[in-house]
């Protein structure tokens, strides 16, 4: 997907793909109640089955520039399934009777936000396979804005979860940052598979609009200075890096297990929570005992 951007961008990104952080801070005291909560225990009118028109068994529809927007599916052919989950029941996406789901009536504005969920892949995650995907004008290559929690194996520093975002306006200022696992030392990124098959894993992604982060080296192709993203896996910090500008707005659509281009996710997703704020801020992580306290906040929502 969009591999034409990789050649000039990744070399710079390997050196400066994410920000350093300190294991020192007084994090935000406790996580607030989520603004949107989908426990997946049963059918919900705001969790809607979606599919892409024209998809084949190889999951190809449209072209790779525009893609095909997932839309509400024919209830007689495509249904959401709810099976035993991490907590109660979970949404099961099997690529047969259920391809993907859209979360309706979710509006978080254009500033900071947070998403958390449990995920259990039924089969290995493939390149660019979407677990959680949100954006606006997604199929307009000149104005697209999106962010994906995904996986990638063909990047030197890939693995999962990888946070990949894209923003362009009128075809200009094309931003394509990503980040994955950060070992904790500035600029040191490593390949790591943190979401194993047939095992429940908790993912939290926080976008802090009050802080900026650099992707690549200033002056190089693909350089981006934009919002700061943080990823926690099972309550522990996994990585942090750059999120493209304007990837969140009240026009965003929110999808589970599907985007406009790639093979849909196969497996279970449970207990999806979304906040209209960063439940842990970059500033708090930068203070004494901050990372330790931040991880306590994340564990409190698991």
């Amino acid at each position: 997907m969009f591999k034409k951007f990789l050649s000039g961008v990744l070399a710079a990104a390997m050196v400066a793909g994410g920000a350093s952080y300190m294991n020192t801070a007084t994090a935000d005291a406790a996580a607030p109640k989520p603004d949107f909560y989908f426990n997946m225990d049963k059918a919900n009118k705001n969790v809607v089955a979606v599919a892409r028109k024209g998809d084949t068994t190889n999951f190809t529809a449209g072209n790779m520039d525009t893609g095909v927007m997932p839309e509400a599916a024919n209830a007689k052919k495509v249904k959401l399934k709810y099976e035993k989950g991490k907590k109660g029941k979970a949404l099961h996406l099997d690529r047969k009777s259920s391809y993907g789901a859209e979360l309706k009536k979710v509006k978080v504005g254009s500033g900071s936000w947070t998403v958390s969920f449990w995920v259990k892949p039924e089969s290995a995650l493939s390149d660019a396979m979407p677990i959680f995907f949100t954006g606006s004008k997604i199929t307009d290559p000149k104005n697209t804005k999106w962010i994906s929690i995904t996986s990638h194996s063909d990047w030197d520093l890939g693995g999962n979860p990888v946070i990949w975002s894209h923003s362009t306006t009128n075809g200009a200022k094309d931003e394509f940052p990503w980040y994955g696992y950060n070992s904790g030392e500035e600029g040191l990124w490593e390949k790591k598979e943190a979401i194993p098959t047939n095992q429940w894993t908790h993912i939290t992604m926080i976008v802090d609009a009050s802080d900026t982060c650099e992707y690549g080296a200033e002056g190089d192709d693909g350089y981006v200075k934009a919002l700061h993203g943080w990823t926690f896996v099972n309550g522990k910090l996994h990585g942090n890096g750059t999120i493209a500008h304007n990837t969140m707005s009240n026009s965003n659509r929110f999808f589970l297990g599907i985007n406009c281009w790639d093979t849909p996710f196969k497996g279970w997703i449970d207990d999806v929570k979304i906040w209209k704020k960063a439940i842990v801020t970059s500033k708090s992580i930068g203070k004494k005992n901050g990372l330790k306290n931040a991880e306590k906040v994340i564990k409190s929502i698991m």
Side-chain angles (χ1 to χ4, degrees):
M1 175 180 166
F2 297 110
K3 291 183 180 178
K4 63 183 179 181
F5 90 102
L6 287 172
S7 59
V9 175
L10 286 183
M14 303 311 171
V15 177
S20 61
Y21 57 87
M22 298 182 294
N23 189 3
T24 61
T26 302
D28 307 341
K33 181 180 178 181
D35 295 286
F36 306 94
Y37 180 32
F38 305 90
N39 62 24
M40 302 303 178
D41 284 342
K42 60 182 179 180
N44 182 329
K45 65 180 181 180
N46 290 322
V47 182
V48 179
V50 292
R52 298 182 301 222
K53 185 177 181 179
D55 255 342
T56 68
T57 54
N58 293 322
F59 305 105
T60 56
N63 64 67
M64 295 304 290
D65 288 326
T66 61
V68 175
M69 184 66 71
E71 299 293 357
N74 185 328
K76 293 183 179 180
K77 294 183 178 180
V78 181
K79 296 182 179 180
L80 296 181
K81 300 168 66 176
Y82 297 89
E83 300 175 354
K84 182 179 179 180
K86 179 64 178 178
K87 298 182 177 182
K89 291 187 177 181
L91 174 67
H92 183 205
L93 302 174
D94 62 7
R95 300 197 204 122
K96 294 179 181 179
S97 61
S98 52
Y99 291 85
E102 181 174 4
L103 305 179
K104 294 287 191 177
K105 296 185 178 181
V106 177
K107 294 184 182 294
V108 300
S110 58
S112 301
W113 61 284
T114 302
V115 62
S116 77
F117 54 87
W118 288 94
V119 60
K120 181 181 176 182
E122 188 172 353
S123 57
L125 300 175
S126 62
D127 291 347
M129 177 180 287
I131 303 172
F132 173 89
F133 184 91
T134 180
S136 63
K137 300 183 178 179
I138 303 167
T139 58
D140 179 355
K142 292 185 177 181
N143 293 284
T144 190
K145 312 278 189 298
W146 54 256
I147 183 168
S148 183
I149 300 180
T150 182
S151 175
H152 230 297
S153 64
D154 63 357
W155 297 341
D156 291 339
L157 301 178
N160 62 59
V162 165
I163 310 301
W164 194 8
S165 55
H166 187 197
S167 175
T168 184
T169 302
N170 296 324
K173 296 182 178 180
D174 199 19
E175 300 178 352
F176 237 138
W178 69 275
Y179 71 88
Y181 174 69
N182 188 307
S183 69
E185 297 182 34
E186 184 173 4
L188 183 58
W189 291 80
E190 299 176 1
K191 184 179 179 69
K192 186 171 184 178
E193 305 289 339
I195 308 177
T197 304
N198 289 316
Q199 182 173 316
W200 284 106
T201 303
H202 190 267
I203 305 297
T204 302
M205 184 184 69
I206 299 169
V207 179
D208 185 359
S210 69
D211 190 29
T212 58
C213 187
E214 293 182 301
Y215 174 83
E218 188 171 4
D220 290 349
D221 289 344
Y223 171 78
V224 179
K225 184 177 181 180
L227 308 184
H228 200 160
W230 300 81
T231 309
F232 293 80
V233 175
N234 292 329
K236 295 291 185 179
L237 182 64
H238 182 79
N240 70 116
T242 307
I243 305 293
H245 286 99
N246 304 316
T247 49
M248 182 56 70
S249 72
N250 280 334
S251 298
N252 274 46
R253 296 177 67 177
F254 292 78
F255 298 102
L256 300 177
I258 196 167
N259 61 15
C260 299
W261 311 273
D262 300 294
T263 302
F265 169 81
K266 185 177 183 181
W268 296 264
I269 298 175
D270 199 3
D271 211 41
V272 181
K273 302 175 182 178
I274 300 174
W275 291 260
K276 297 189 288 186
K277 65 176 293 182
I279 62 171
V280 173
T281 64
S282 303
K283 184 178 180 180
S284 69
I285 295 176
K287 295 180 180 178
K288 187 177 181 180
N289 296 322
L291 180 56
K292 181 179 179 180
N293 290 332
E295 290 177 341
K296 288 182 179 178
V297 173
I298 303 303
K299 288 180 179 179
S300 75
I301 65 174
M302 292 174 58

